[in-house]
Amino acid sequence: MTITFNNLLPFPLEEYPHGNESVWKNNFELHLPKKIVLNASSGKGKSTFVNMIYGLRKDYSGELLIDGKNIADFTLDDWIELRKEKMSIVFQDLQLFPELTVFENLQLKNELKQHKTDEEMFEMLELLGIGDKKNQLCKNLSLGQQQRVAIIRALLQPFELLLMDEPFSHLDEQNASIALNLISKETDANQGGFILTTLGSYHGFQYEQELNL
Amino acid sequence: MLKKILFRNSTNFQFIFATLGALVGLTALCLSFQLTLDVQSFHSGEEDLFGPNSVVIQKKVTKLSSLGMNNTDFTDEEIEGLRQKEFITDVAPFESADFRVALSEVKGDGLPPFYADMFFQSIPDRFLDLDVNWEWNEDSEFVPIVLPRDFIMIINYGIAQSQGFNQISEELLMAARLTIHIKGESKNDKKIGRVVGFSQKISSILVPKSFLDSANEEFGSGNRIQPNRIFITTVDDSYGELEELMDEMNLDIAKSAIDVAKIKTIIGVIIGIFGIAAILIMLLSLMGFVQYSQLVLSKASYEIQTLLRLGYPIKSIVKTFIKQMTVIFGLITAASITIMLVIKLFVVNTWLDKNGIHLEESSIVPTIILALFCFGVFILSNLLNIRKTVRNLGKIQ
């Protein structure tokens, strides 16, 4: 997958200066599969960047192309197809279903492509230390636990690009590192890449490319 | 699982309101439709013989007519005038016998001895729909006769008692032969006749036209007789025009004949109003349901948007809603048909039976088709509404 940025700039960030290194107002391409980190302080537009690529924000100038096609021309059905087949995401606000149990949240996503078996999903929960929460309602979990559920959910489909918006903000370094290793392994298995946004910590991982805002 | 999260926030009040509305509306609609079908098929045995909209008209006999100053015959112009009326589809003057007639029993056929002066009239065969042989020709074994039903009543409850002979059943009268005594202008003759049916509507003694024509030629004086009674067929629901005509031409019409048409029209109007009310209730409940699904959709907007973000196709979300709606409407439709049948069989029919009205059972298939049509309209309108709302939710994410 190739993502092309042509002078892309969200309207809310128009009044701020952007350097040559910034993803805003510059022309460049991202070639996936590649493991990419986007490191920036708060308020620079990390979530905006992720949401624009995922088709959730349209308030920008310039162009954003995925595999040569301008995403401004994508229909809702095009986006849904892309999200089902090629692009996965861990939202900063997680967007789990609070009334469903941990395992139901995972099954709901997995039903779309039958990407993993129940056993494999349970192994992931165990690996991230929340195997015992399998049948608990998501709304009763701590934020850190919910974050791990959201991470696993994002891995339950084939993807060429996995977008993660501060996925470890509520995890300690050790758990973040375990999760990142799992993400990396699944990314390789899918022969895909990811873009991970972070507030500064690299979680001891060697990324192939770093972007700045 | 989709169902679990999409219907989690649905409220019961709107649902119960809309369900009740749809149930009452659809039941009322089915009932009025079914009753309309039943009333359409309503007819007395008499109408079987002469068609539902046929009546006999004659001019009223007044004091002047008794004095010979006022003729009750219909002129050719008047008959032509009747033919011109838009609400009259068929006109047939009665033909009368141009000779004197008397009837007596045939010995050994079971009837008591009698001899009575009579008269014969005929109407065109197309007005008769008797399930008997109404054909007559020179070789026929007997002359078929239709008597007024009142005639046998007069015999059985009047004459028989005062003359001291036994009462005669319709079956006996129809089984026995009669001797027809014809006294013509120049010669007399006897023929055999047989009663083939009774009529409530026509107070006349009818014989086949073919017989009367032939007998008039053989025994008649040759003078043309102007008809004084006319058989007419009217279009549906024209009793208003008919009454107007009665006043205009000073006519006499057997009241009972037009009463059926009148009652049918009145019942039709009442059922029609009931049906329109039912359609209105249906439309309101349809709106109720559309609002209900709108409410469920808006309460589940977070869930729908999240599902779309996770890559769930619009189709599968819409399908989840429609599946649920189909079950609800399916139950409503089935319940409506059941309630309609129960009301029809145990309330309406019982009441009609009690009041001596017998409606022929018409098929319930058209009503079921109507109910299924309503079911289809409900599903389709909800499908379109749900699809549009889900799409809009997807676009504003």
Side-chain angles (χ1 to χ4, degrees):
Chain A
M1 182 184 278
T2 302
I3 306 174
T4 311
F5 300 81
N6 292 336
N7 269 321
L8 197 68
L9 183 65
F11 296 143
L13 297 177
E14 268 173 345
E15 289 173 14
Y16 297 93
H18 303 287
N20 289 341
E21 297 288 303
S22 173
V23 297
W24 303 132
K25 250 189 150 0
N26 281 312
N27 296 328
F28 67 99
E29 285 187 341
L30 294 178
H31 298 281
L32 299 161
K34 202 178 266 179
K35 290 163 186 152
I36 302 166
V37 66
L38 174 64
N39 192 355
S41 54
S42 204
K44 287 280 186 70
K46 291 190 297 296
S47 294
T48 306
F49 179 78
V50 166
N51 287 338
M52 277 162 66
I53 298 175
Y54 202 64
L56 300 179
R57 286 192 71 155
K58 296 176 174 76
D59 52 339
Y60 59 84
S61 59
E63 282 180 340
L64 204 167
L65 287 76
I66 294 178
D67 288 334
K69 289 178 202 146
N70 192 338
I71 63 164
D73 301 330
F74 284 11
T75 64
L76 179 60
D77 292 310
D78 291 337
W79 279 117
I80 290 170
E81 184 66 13
L82 198 66
R83 290 166 194 168
K84 189 173 141 194
E85 304 289 342
K86 294 183 176 177
M87 227 187 248
S88 193
I89 191 166
V90 179
F91 296 102
Q92 191 182 39
D93 60 356
L94 308 178
Q95 302 203 5
L96 296 168
F97 295 102
E99 302 294 332
L100 294 185
T101 66
V102 168
F103 211 64
E104 283 172 338
N105 263 284
L106 300 183
Q107 281 173 322
L108 193 65
K109 174 71 183 177
N110 198 49
E111 267 173 18
L112 273 177
K113 297 295 294 179
Q114 300 294 342
H115 193 59
K116 300 278 180 190
T117 63
D118 281 2
E119 289 73 32
E120 286 171 326
M121 289 192 283
F122 184 65
E123 278 168 22
M124 288 181 173
L125 287 174
E126 287 277 288
L127 185 67
L128 299 195
I130 49 171
D132 57 333
K133 309 288 182 201
K134 183 184 162 195
N135 294 319
Q136 283 202 18
L137 293 182
C138 266
K139 65 178 178 187
N140 295 335
L141 300 186
S142 72
L143 269 177
Q145 288 163 336
Q146 287 189 27
Q147 209 157 31
R148 282 173 267 180
V149 178
I151 290 167
I152 296 172
R153 183 177 72 176
L155 301 175
L156 300 178
Q157 70 165 89
F159 60 85
E160 290 179 26
L161 171 62
L162 170 62
L163 294 162
M164 291 175 283
D165 195 2
E166 298 184 35
F168 311 131
S169 54
H170 297 282
L171 295 186
D172 57 65
E173 272 304 319
Q174 193 194 348
N175 272 313
S177 176
I178 296 170
L180 195 47
N181 281 329
L182 174 67
I183 292 164
S184 176
K185 197 181 104 200
E186 288 297 324
T187 306
D188 291 340
N190 280 299
Q191 296 178 321
F194 66 66
I195 298 175
L196 181 149
T197 71
T198 173
L199 274 169
S201 173
Y202 292 89
H203 313 291
F205 193 80
Q206 290 296 315
Y207 302 95
E208 291 164 82
Q209 188 175 350
E210 182 172 345
L211 299 174
N212 293 299
L213 292 178
Chain B
M1 211 176 316
L2 275 184
K3 191 177 145 193
K4 189 172 164 184
I5 54 169
L6 293 177
F7 284 90
R8 190 176 56 84
N9 293 316
S10 69
T11 47
N12 288 330
F13 177 71
Q14 265 85 4
F15 175 70
I16 291 169
F17 181 74
T19 306
L20 275 180
L23 188 65
V24 171
L26 191 56
T27 306
L29 189 65
C30 287
L31 192 63
S32 54
F33 186 72
Q34 182 67 42
L35 289 179
T36 306
L37 290 183
D38 287 353
V39 170
Q40 295 282 318
S41 74
F42 173 66
H43 48 249
S44 65
E46 184 62 25
E47 285 166 88
D48 266 341
L49 294 186
F50 297 109
N53 294 323
S54 297
V55 286
V56 178
I57 59 173
Q58 62 240 333
K59 291 184 179 174
K60 275 185 187 155
V61 174
T62 63
K63 283 176 191 161
L64 289 176
S65 348
S66 306
L67 294 170
M69 292 169 70
N70 189 11
N71 199 337
T72 58
D73 291 348
F74 285 95
T75 64
D76 288 345
E77 290 74 38
E78 284 172 329
I79 295 171
E80 193 49 39
L82 289 174
R83 283 191 218 278
Q84 303 294 330
K85 300 273 183 203
E86 269 180 21
F87 72 96
I88 297 176
T89 55
D90 203 349
V91 176
F94 277 62
E95 277 183 43
S96 295
D98 186 19
F99 48 85
R100 293 175 65 191
V101 182
L103 292 179
S104 69
E105 88 289 355
V106 170
K107 280 200 175 75
D109 272 14
L111 291 179
F114 73 95
Y115 183 93
D117 283 329
M118 295 280 168
F119 65 97
F120 279 164
Q121 286 187 317
S122 82
I123 53 169
D125 291 354
R126 65 175 183 277
F127 283 92
L128 272 166
D129 188 21
L130 278 173
D131 196 18
V132 290
N133 190 5
W134 190 243
E135 297 294 314
W136 181 88
N137 58 44
E138 296 289 342
D139 303 324
S140 292
E141 204 182 316
F142 60 85
V143 179
I145 299 170
V146 167
L147 291 178
R149 181 153 275 126
D150 289 344
F151 185 82
I152 200 167
M153 305 290 277
I154 291 169
I155 291 178
N156 282 336
Y157 300 102
I159 297 173
Q161 208 171 18
S162 66
Q163 305 285 319
F165 60 75
N166 293 333
Q167 289 173 320
I168 305 160
S169 69
E170 281 185 16
E171 289 74 28
L172 175 61
L173 194 52
M174 285 171 78
R177 288 170 299 168
L178 296 168
T179 308
I180 302 172
H181 305 266
I182 299 174
K183 291 174 190 165
E185 188 76 4
S186 52
K187 58 175 181 177
N188 300 343
D189 197 3
K190 282 184 191 172
K191 292 195 181 295
I192 294 297
R194 179 173 276 175
V195 177
V196 295
F198 297 92
S199 157
Q200 206 119 45
K201 197 183 275 181
I202 303 177
S203 51
S204 178
I205 297 160
L206 296 180
V207 288
K209 190 173 175 334
S210 50
F211 169 73
L212 200 69
D213 288 346
S214 141
N216 271 348
E217 200 171 303
E218 196 177 344
F219 306 104
S221 62
N223 297 331
R224 183 162 172 254
I225 306 169
Q226 279 303 119
N228 56 15
R229 314 175 92 186
I230 297 180
F231 212 112
I232 58 168
T233 303
T234 60
V235 295
D236 283 339
D237 308 331
S238 57
Y239 67 88
E241 287 101 320
L242 196 57
E243 284 195 349
E244 226 170 78
L245 184 74
M246 282 167 68
D247 289 343
E248 194 184 306
M249 294 179 73
N250 197 25
L251 295 178
D252 222 3
I253 299 179
K255 264 280 187 210
S256 64
I258 55 169
D259 279 352
V260 171
K262 215 172 193 171
I263 290 168
K264 268 174 85 166
T265 308
I266 293 167
I267 292 178
V269 169
I270 292 171
I271 294 177
I273 292 169
F274 188 55
I276 289 168
I279 290 172
L280 286 177
I281 298 172
M282 281 286 287
L283 285 177
L284 278 176
S285 73
L286 178 63
M287 279 167 62
F289 255 109
V290 168
Q291 272 197 326
Y292 165 70
S293 53
Q294 201 79 37
L295 193 75
V296 174
L297 287 164
S298 73
K299 286 202 168 182
S301 57
Y302 166 79
E303 283 80 2
I304 292 168
Q305 283 178 326
T306 307
L307 286 169
L308 295 174
R309 287 173 187 187
L310 291 180
Y312 261 87
I314 293 173
K315 215 162 68 181
S316 66
I317 297 171
V318 173
K319 211 167 106 184
T320 308
F321 276 103
I322 282 301
K323 245 186 182 170
Q324 188 75 359
M325 292 289 173
T326 307
V327 171
I328 296 166
F329 290 151
L331 288 174
I332 290 173
T333 309
S336 293
I337 292 171
T338 312
I339 296 171
M340 180 273 289
L341 282 177
V342 168
I343 293 178
K344 181 177 135 58
L345 292 176
F346 297 105
V347 181
V348 178
N349 285 10
T350 312
W351 182 84
L352 289 175
D353 278 348
K354 232 185 204 169
N355 288 281
I357 302 168
H358 177 70
L359 289 187
E360 200 148 305
E361 295 288 314
S362 49
S363 166
I364 62 160
V365 173
T367 310
I368 292 176
I369 291 172
L370 175 77
L372 291 178
F373 173 76
C374 293
F375 171 79
V377 169
F378 262 70
I379 295 294
L380 190 70
S381 49
N382 272 282
L383 174 73
L384 294 176
N385 173 52
I386 290 167
R387 199 161 58 188
K388 193 175 146 206
T389 313
V390 171
R391 275 200 172 277
N392 286 341
L393 281 171
K395 278 177 191 160
I396 56 165
Q397 58 186 328

